[in-house]
Amino acid sequence: MDSYDGKADTGLGAGVLCGIGALSLPYRIVAAVMLAAIGILACAHLAMVFLHVAPSNTLSKRHAKAVNAWVYPEFEQNWKLFAPNPLQQNIAVQARAEIRTPAGDRSTTGWIDLTALDIEKIRGNPLPSHTTQNELRRAWDFYVNSHTEDNRPNGERGELSEQYIRRIVMLRLGSQHDGGTVERIQVRSVTRSVAAPAWSGEKTDTRPYYRVLPWWTVTAADLSDADRAARDDRTEASR
């Protein structure tokens, strides 16, 4: 008869431990400290994002500077956690340019619908780029949210949002356009409410509403590296 010593056969050798338990005491302490630090960092991150997306309250107002410093730009959120607000308007961003020809004549282009150009690239494309889908739209939201109705900056990020819009427009237009040099640009938005479905019986004002920004003189900071180098070359050649 086989003897039975009362010990269950676990399939593991005697004294074999797994995970942190297999480490020596100093290493277990280090691992525990690291896990605790990661847990604290994760909780802090969730708290910051929560305060950022939550409705305005005493705590979020008191620590707004710290929250914004943590969230922007890597963890920016553009939706509200407790009150998602579906879009009910179509907003198109358009630009026009003042051109100086080699002969010294000046002319102004018509309005160029930059949003429509992006939509053309998206329609029928199963994998449109993130830039085409979001760059212009998010840049315009950034500008509107950091400026008053009369286009005055309402915070520290106002100047940055203006520089961002100018750079995007110049990337789309290029420093050379219609056979001349772009010297000034102007941007506007065209907002139209989405019409209510016919069966709803609601009446919606679908007339376009415009927000026109002032003319901006193009500077070297608004140009891409390639356009800046090309402009410098033309300047040297004209001397």
Side-chain angles (χ1 to χ4, degrees):
M1 177 182 292
D2 295 335
S3 62
Y4 177 68
D5 59 5
K7 296 181 181 179
D9 184 4
T10 63
L12 297 175
V16 175
L17 298 176
C18 299
I20 295 179
L23 301 175
S24 63
L25 180 59
Y27 285 107
R28 273 184 281 175
I29 294 174
V30 172
V33 170
M34 291 180 64
L35 288 174
I38 292 172
I40 292 172
L41 182 62
C43 290
H45 174 71
L46 291 175
M48 290 292 191
V49 174
F50 177 83
L51 290 175
H52 177 67
V53 301
S56 180
N57 57 74
T58 303
L59 191 60
S60 63
K61 290 178 181 178
R62 181 180 301 171
H63 301 289
K65 188 173 182 179
V67 170
N68 289 337
W70 180 271
V71 169
Y72 293 109
E74 289 86 0
F75 309 115
E76 181 182 2
Q77 308 292 314
N78 67 334
W79 54 280
K80 298 299 181 182
L81 179 63
F82 297 102
N85 200 8
L87 291 175
Q88 297 180 350
Q89 297 173 323
N90 289 320
I91 302 175
V93 180
Q94 302 176 344
R96 63 178 178 176
E98 183 180 276
I99 307 295
R100 179 174 56 83
T101 66
D105 299 326
R106 296 179 184 273
S107 61
T108 302
T109 67
W111 288 103
I112 302 168
D113 195 331
L114 304 180
T115 299
L117 296 177
D118 281 351
I119 292 174
E120 286 182 9
K121 295 178 182 178
I122 294 171
R123 186 172 288 121
N125 185 350
L127 296 172
S129 72
H130 179 76
T131 299
T132 303
Q133 295 179 81
N134 298 313
E135 182 183 57
L136 182 61
R137 177 180 60 84
R138 295 295 303 279
W140 182 253
D141 287 343
F142 184 19
Y143 181 90
V144 170
N145 292 331
S146 57
H147 283 75
T148 61
E149 290 294 330
D150 58 351
N151 300 316
R152 295 180 181 275
N154 59 13
E156 297 178 354
R157 304 176 73 216
E159 184 178 351
L160 178 62
S161 68
E162 179 181 316
Q163 293 173 351
Y164 192 31
I165 280 285
R166 292 169 62 157
R167 184 69 180 260
I168 289 174
V169 170
M170 290 306 300
L171 283 172
R172 306 293 178 89
L173 297 182
S175 62
Q176 294 295 110
H177 192 80
D178 285 352
T181 301
V182 177
E183 293 201 330
R184 295 200 303 164
I185 56 174
Q186 189 176 33
V187 181
R188 74 176 183 183
S189 67
V190 185
T191 303
R192 291 182 175 87
S193 296
V194 176
W199 50 261
S200 70
E202 297 180 20
K203 294 183 178 179
T204 307
D205 183 4
T206 57
R207 291 177 298 176
Y209 289 88
Y210 299 90
R211 177 169 180 171
V212 183
L213 307 189
W215 281 96
W216 290 325
T217 300
V218 175
T219 66
D222 302 324
L223 304 177
S224 66
D225 293 340
D227 280 342
R228 192 180 304 118
R231 175 170 286 194
D232 291 342
D233 291 341
R234 288 192 298 271
T235 301
E236 289 295 327
S238 64
R239 290 178 180 175

